[in-house]
Amino acid sequence: MSEENFKANNFTNLPDIRSYTWSSPSNIALIKYWGKNKNQTPKNTSISFTLSNSRTITTLELNKKNKADNNILFDVYYKNKKIDEFRPKIDLFFRNILEHCSYLKEYSFKIITANTFPHSSGIASSASGMSALALCVMSLERDLDSTMKEEYFYKKASFLSRIGSGSACRSILGGINLWGKHTEVEKSTDLYSIKYPYEICKDFLDYNDTILLVDTEAKKVSSSDGHKLMNNHIYADKRYKTAQKNVIRLKSILKNGNLNSFTSLIEEEAMMLHALMMTSNPSYVLIKPNTLKIINSIKNYRETTKIPICFTLDAGANVHVLYPKEGEKEVESFIESELKKYCKNHLYIKDKVGFGSIQL
Ligand code: PMV
């Protein structure tokens, strides 16, 4: 499929008012996407767990304008309060998807959004937020085109959310998702994410992810700026090649369920992401002293108990603690007694791999 397949123009009989609501999950990358091309396609393939409890719920209300124009008019409400914080990103998103969704010119919008996780918790809401909004847009398109197939609906929703925020394209479907062309993964593409297409050992279907909130401040360097710094990065080529190899390593781990190999690979990926930030020009550091204390504590605990717990990191200081269902009670009392003290306000969020976006 090419970009051309996602152009939807020349609709007639547009409804005057409509409202759509979607709930979309966040996701955590196991193989990280870090570095992108101009058209928001990735430099390497990434694979993620969908997180069932950390979600954004978004309602898109639309009103038909008297005359269609390129000016996208919208207001954003976080819960019941009108806010401007998300405006620039949403404005750019609408402008960038206009060529694929020309019917948007006909409407003005009210967007009401809320997260199930605490606002300003440091958890990136762009993945869940952009996917929820893209799905609302696709619900309108589906109302305009009664012949639309379900498969196309979800593909284009992933395609549109990718334009809003790369990692958002992996938040449409549940379970494990893959984004970015890989020569050894059939049907993989840079344009949208696909459901991970190979055998998965059952341990991974309900894997736990407890997110330790170390830092709740806004990041000093945004993900967009971080991606840009990969353009002239001295390790860029090596990174992209390694990521493609790591996809193959993960493929066999997901199949055979070797949790010790899983912990090694996942931690390598997390550390590589942050090593790239620390070695870019200019360099920067997003992890905090407490991030390192947690990492060391997890490694010691794994060494002494032989329980296959591991960590991964997003572009921030928070730590995602990954562990299987078997032995979860023991790990959770370790988190309570040894890791919680390193979290800001002792806050952490218990989540797990689970279901994808749903229409409400
Ligand atoms: O989707 P973006 O542009 O915010 O980039 C996200 C990048 C990482 O979260 C660090 C990794 C990933 O694959 O999600």
Side-chain angles (χ1 to χ4, degrees):
M1 253 176 143
S2 76
E3 296 234 356
E4 285 308 304
N5 295 92
F6 294 117
K7 293 222 155 88
N9 299 320
N10 305 325
F11 288 112
T12 49
N13 293 332
L14 294 126
D16 285 340
I17 30 176
R18 278 287 150 94
S19 166
Y20 306 99
T21 302
W22 278 86
S23 157
S24 262
S26 185
N27 71 76
I28 180 71
L30 304 174
I31 306 294
K32 310 289 181 185
Y33 148 61
W34 199 239
K36 63 179 172 186
N37 303 305
K38 277 212 181 74
N39 59 350
Q40 187 99 325
T41 53
K43 292 281 190 187
N44 63 263
T45 310
S46 57
I47 298 181
S48 59
F49 277 159
T50 302
L51 299 178
S52 36
N53 300 332
S54 306
R55 308 181 76 87
T56 298
I57 295 146
T58 296
T59 297
L60 180 70
E61 289 178 10
L62 31 105
N63 267 295
K64 197 144 180 298
K65 292 180 192 161
N66 292 331
K67 196 169 175 293
D69 59 30
N70 281 339
N71 255 344
I72 304 276
L73 303 174
F74 68 93
D75 285 320
V76 189
Y77 292 79
Y78 186 77
K79 295 184 178 163
N80 290 323
K81 209 169 145 238
K82 194 167 164 195
I83 51 157
D84 288 332
E85 194 184 325
F86 306 135
R87 277 196 78 84
K89 215 163 175 180
I90 294 176
D91 186 54
L92 189 65
F93 171 65
F94 277 136
R95 281 190 281 122
N96 285 341
I97 65 169
L98 214 49
E99 62 171 316
H100 302 287
C101 309
S102 65
Y103 49 85
L104 293 175
K105 295 179 190 172
E106 307 274 352
Y107 292 98
S108 61
F109 305 96
K110 180 176 176 185
I111 299 162
I112 307 142
T113 190
N115 297 328
T116 59
F117 44 88
H119 183 50
S120 303
S121 62
I123 295 192
S125 57
S126 61
S128 50
M130 281 300 166
S131 59
L133 186 56
L135 283 155
C136 289
V137 169
M138 281 310 292
S139 288
L140 167 63
E141 189 173 317
R142 181 162 56 186
D143 275 354
L144 304 177
D145 175 7
S146 57
T147 64
M148 187 186 294
K149 300 260 182 332
E150 181 152 309
E151 195 189 342
Y152 181 85
F153 176 90
Y154 286 108
K155 266 185 196 166
K156 184 163 174 184
S158 178
F159 171 87
L160 294 178
S161 36
R162 184 204 99 227
I163 294 170
S165 169
S167 56
C169 73
R170 300 186 313 241
S171 274
I172 302 291
L173 307 171
I176 303 180
N177 291 290
L178 180 145
W179 171 42
K181 179 83 198 139
H182 194 293
T183 48
E184 292 179 48
V185 182
E186 226 190 304
K187 298 204 171 137
S188 61
T189 164
D190 287 348
L191 295 182
Y192 51 85
S193 170
I194 58 169
K195 187 120 185 143
Y196 177 77
Y198 302 112
E199 196 180 331
I200 302 171
C201 164
K202 69 169 183 18
D203 285 348
F204 294 114
L205 299 178
D206 56 359
Y207 224 69
N208 291 299
D209 179 357
T210 293
I211 309 160
L212 307 179
L213 305 176
V214 173
D215 187 21
T216 54
E217 305 285 307
K219 285 179 284 190
K220 279 193 200 74
V221 180
S222 69
S223 286
S224 322
D225 290 337
H227 285 290
K228 274 190 208 134
L229 287 172
M230 284 303 287
N231 291 339
N232 298 311
H233 200 293
I234 50 167
Y235 298 134
D237 286 345
K238 185 78 184 156
R239 163 59 194 160
Y240 303 143
K241 285 194 184 109
T242 307
Q244 297 312 81
K245 284 189 192 142
N246 285 350
V247 167
I248 299 304
R249 280 170 73 192
L250 187 59
K251 186 179 163 191
S252 74
I253 293 168
L254 291 177
K255 184 176 173 195
N256 65 31
N258 185 332
L259 298 186
N260 291 329
S261 304
F262 182 74
T263 59
S264 311
L265 175 57
I266 296 316
E267 292 186 357
E268 265 175 54
E269 273 288 317
M271 294 305 243
M272 204 180 301
L273 172 69
H274 283 262
L276 289 165
M277 296 170 191
M278 292 181 209
T279 51
S280 62
N281 184 11
S283 65
Y284 63 107
V285 182
L286 293 183
I287 52 173
K288 299 279 179 197
N290 280 355
T291 313
L292 291 177
K293 285 186 186 144
I294 292 168
I295 288 175
N296 287 334
S297 191
I298 288 174
K299 283 175 180 262
N300 288 339
Y301 179 76
R302 181 169 67 227
E303 196 117 335
T304 32
T305 62
K306 308 289 174 223
I307 294 174
I309 167 180
C310 67
F311 67 86
T312 188
L313 304 165
D314 232 326
N318 297 334
V319 182
H320 289 246
V321 188
L322 303 180
Y323 50 99
K325 192 166 175 54
E326 197 187 325
E328 65 186 1
K329 289 280 156 298
E330 210 180 322
V331 172
E332 279 155 18
S333 48
F334 160 67
I335 292 173
E336 263 297 309
S337 63
E338 299 301 323
L339 303 183
K340 186 169 119 173
K341 60 182 178 228
Y342 299 123
C343 299
K344 191 132 185 215
N345 304 324
H346 291 181
L347 259 179
Y348 64 82
I349 295 167
K350 223 181 114 22
D351 212 329
K352 59 176 11 192
V353 178
F355 62 102
S357 298
I358 41 171
Q359 186 165 18
L360 302 176

